[in-house]
Amino acid sequence: MPDEAAVRGIEGVFTLASKVEDIAPSLRFKRGVEALVRRSRVPEAAGFADPEVWNNLGHAMMAMDRVPEAARCFERALDLDADYGPAYVGRGWTQLQLATGAAAVQDAVGSFDTAYGHGETGNDTRAGRAAARLAQAGSALAGAIVDADAVLDATPVYVFSHRSSFDY
């Protein structure tokens, strides 16, 4: 088990990681998360049973382009609390990033819809749902436009960033 200082350091990084969507992660931040994960052998070994910790770690992994690891973190958060809305947002983004077919994109839409149902109505949820619906094309395109417009109404400077294509 990691020492108390390591655990406090891990918690500090996870607290910061909860805000990674608002900052461009620096190399120092990435190295700090990497070192803490190596040192603690990931939160499970440190005895963390808090979905927020796993959700924050998932965002830290996403910031480092470690999408498969991020997906596992969001799933672990949901294993601990199936009603934890923020983890559905993270899961939706990882599903969208890892999508290799129409069913995977539909799963991402489902995750964003579930997050919305659990009170996660912010820009990341709506933008994710817009991106997933855009990937669906067809009749989902109208929903994508509604979600994207809602995001831009709330935050006119919001930057949409997603895969440029879905070739399955």
Side-chain angles (χ1 to χ4, degrees), residues 123 126 145-158 160:
N123 284 345
R126 302 254 355 216
I145 292 169
V146 168
D147 281 331
D149 280 345
V151 170
L152 292 175
D153 284 346
T155 309
V157 296
Y158 190 90
F160 289 87

Side-chain angles (χ1 to χ4, degrees), residues 19-167:
K19 298 179 170 118
V20 293
E21 62 270 9
D22 298 327
I23 59 170
S26 67
L27 182 58
R28 183 176 174 191
F29 173 78
K30 290 179 183 180
R31 286 181 180 161
V33 171
E34 293 278 350
L36 289 168
V37 168
R38 276 193 311 273
R39 189 170 176 188
S40 70
R41 298 194 191 343
V42 185
E44 204 165 272
F48 291 113
D50 181 348
E52 184 178 9
V53 170
W54 286 97
N55 184 66
N56 294 349
L57 180 59
H59 283 288
M61 292 293 151
M62 287 283 286
M64 294 185 299
D65 293 323
R66 293 174 54 178
V67 180
E69 292 100 327
R72 287 192 293 275
C73 291
F74 295 126
E75 289 299 331
R76 181 68 179 123
L78 292 170
D79 288 344
L80 292 168
D81 182 355
D83 294 325
Y84 190 67
Y88 285 104
V89 177
R91 183 171 85 170
W93 281 108
T94 59
Q95 288 170 321
L96 198 54
Q97 289 292 318
L98 298 171
T100 58
V105 171
Q106 182 58 43
D107 288 344
V109 170
S111 288
F112 289 118
D113 286 343
T114 302
Y116 204 82
H118 284 286
E120 295 300 309
T121 59
N123 284 345
D124 288 337
T125 305
R126 302 254 355 216
R129 192 165 65 176
R133 287 178 170 171
L134 185 61
Q136 286 181 308
S139 62
L141 190 55
I145 292 169
V146 168
D147 281 331
D149 280 345
V151 170
L152 292 175
D153 284 346
T155 309
V157 296
Y158 190 90
V159 176
F160 289 87
S161 177
H162 56 83
R163 288 170 52 175
S164 58
S165 68
F166 290 88
D167 299 323

